Amino acid sequence: MTLTRDGPILIEGPVEVVLDDGRVVRSDRFVVALCACRRSRTYPWCDTSHRRRTAASKRREGGTGERQPSSTRNRQSAG
């Protein structure tokens, strides 16, 4: 098992996962990405929804989630 920062849990497959409601889901892939953020539309499998969350949280915290156009940066720093 490999834990990734701000990403899924990677497990060497095949795997069998028992969900909260008792259902069992299986994957025969060589490496399986389990969702750790619970935003995946294909939960418990990762669909990379964590990437959108990570970029949004960085912008809120003043980080560099996405680059701004140079005209926007100039207006913000001139004020």
Side-chain angles (χ1 to χ4, degrees):
M1 176 171 37
T2 303
L3 298 176
T4 58
R5 181 183 167 125
D6 298 327
I9 300 167
L10 302 176
I11 301 177
E12 290 185 30
V15 298
E16 195 171 271
V17 178
V18 179
L19 301 176
D20 291 342
D21 62 4
R23 287 184 298 140
V24 177
V25 293
R26 294 174 178 84
S27 176
D28 293 328
R29 301 187 89 162
F30 292 106
V31 175
V32 178
L34 292 179
C35 176
C37 71
R38 297 193 67 95
R39 288 180 167 72
S40 175
R41 292 182 188 143
T42 59
Y43 188 82
W45 318 123
C46 177
D47 68 359
T48 69
S49 293
H50 61 275
R51 292 179 184 167
R52 290 185 297 280
R53 169 70 173 117
T54 300
S57 64
K58 285 181 181 178
R59 280 194 303 275
R60 269 197 311 278
E61 295 168 3
T64 57
E66 291 181 11
R67 291 186 52 87
Q68 298 175 341
S70 60
S71 60
T72 305
R73 283 194 306 258
N74 292 341
R75 271 188 265 132
Q76 288 178 347
S77 60

